[in-house]
Amino acid sequence: MTTKALFSIPTAAVGPTVKITFEGTVMTVPEGISVAAALLAGGARQFRSSIVGKAPRAPYCLMGVCFECFVEIDGVPARQSCLIPVRDGMKIKRQEGAPEFLGDTFGDENE
Ligand code: FES
């Protein structure tokens, strides 16, 4: 099993950066990239666990189709990390199993 990052962010990132937290680890990433891209570049290999069997899952399509990239963002479960741009101060956790839906919490991240 590989542990080397499949993606990387240039160390001399161009433009402004933001700080996000994934599972308690603070990461500095370029502003405007997706949460999935930021986490993959930071070395994350498990974004969620499957509902049946708790198998580790990670982004596959990176375009909003497969739903393998679910994470919890700022306490809201089942967010498609490939479609959501990073924002300074985001707190991201793995989606473990089935999400507990909290009602009408699925807003447009850009609103
Ligand atoms: S990676 Fe497929 S929906 Fe996000």
Side-chain angles (χ1 to χ4, degrees), residues 36 58-70 80-83:
Y60 181 70
C61 73
L62 293 171
M63 60 181 191
V65 177
C66 72
F67 297 88
E68 296 291 2
C69 64
F70 272 178
Q80 281 179 280
S81 62
C82 68
L83 300 180

Side-chain angles (χ1 to χ4, degrees), residues 9-10 12-20 27-35 37-38 41 84-90 110:
I9 296 173
V14 178
T17 59
V18 296
K19 289 190 186 306
I20 62 173
M27 303 165 67
T28 302
V29 302
E31 185 177 55
I33 67 173
S34 72
V35 171
I84 299 171
V86 291
R87 181 177 17 82
D88 196 45
M90 267 184 167
N110 297 317

Side-chain angles (χ1 to χ4, degrees), residues 83-103:
L83 300 180
I84 299 171
V86 291
R87 181 177 17 82
D88 196 45
M90 267 184 167
K91 294 197 176 5
I92 305 158
K93 292 182 178 176
R94 288 189 182 98
Q95 177 70 52
E96 300 293 346
E100 272 189 46
F101 290 103
L102 306 174

